[in-house]
């Protein structure tokens, strides 16, 4: 199976929902509004560090971990 070059951000945008019903959808909605999100990155550590150091909209890094797992299985 060939892995896609799609970035995490690109995948996350497919999870957006204006009436967010779960934490990943809310994360996606907020990331969309974050102009400094590392949009081209496919590196877990880069994105994780960015979220830990630069955002207040992610209530728990568990949400990122769950989103990352889905990203890995769907790319």
């Amino acid at each position: 199976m060939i892995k896609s070059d799609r970035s995490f951000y690109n995948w996350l945008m497919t999870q957006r929902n204006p009436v967010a019903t779960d934490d990943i959808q809310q994360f996606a909605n907020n990331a969309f509004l974050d102009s400094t999100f590392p949009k081209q990155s496919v590196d877990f550590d880069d994105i994780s560090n960015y979220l830990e150091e630069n955002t207040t909209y992610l209530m728990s890094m568990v949400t990122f971990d769950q989103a990352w797992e889905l990203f890995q299985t769907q790319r």
Side-chain angles (χ1 to χ4, degrees), residues 14-29:
T14 68
Q15 306 303 304
R16 286 178 57 215
N17 183 345
V19 198
T21 58
D22 65 40
D23 291 340
I24 293 176
Q25 290 174 348
Q26 188 62 50
F27 173 29
N29 293 341

Side-chain angles (χ1 to χ4, degrees), residues 11-72:
W11 172 85
L12 187 61
M13 292 302 99
T14 68
Q15 306 303 304
R16 286 178 57 215
N17 183 345
V19 198
T21 58
D22 65 40
D23 291 340
I24 293 176
Q25 290 174 348
Q26 188 62 50
F27 173 29
N29 293 341
N30 289 326
F32 174 74
L33 300 172
D34 181 354
S35 63
T36 60
F37 194 96
K39 293 177 175 72
Q40 302 305 315
S41 184
V42 293
D43 183 77
F44 177 89
D45 291 329
D46 285 346
I47 299 168
S48 179
N49 289 337
Y50 171 80
L51 293 169
E52 288 175 351
E53 297 172 6
N54 299 294
T55 64
T56 58
Y57 59 78
L58 192 60
M59 300 306 290
S60 171
M61 287 302 288
V62 171
T63 302
F64 169 63
D65 292 337
Q66 292 169 338
W68 184 265
E69 286 299 317
L70 285 171
F71 167 64
Q72 290 296 305

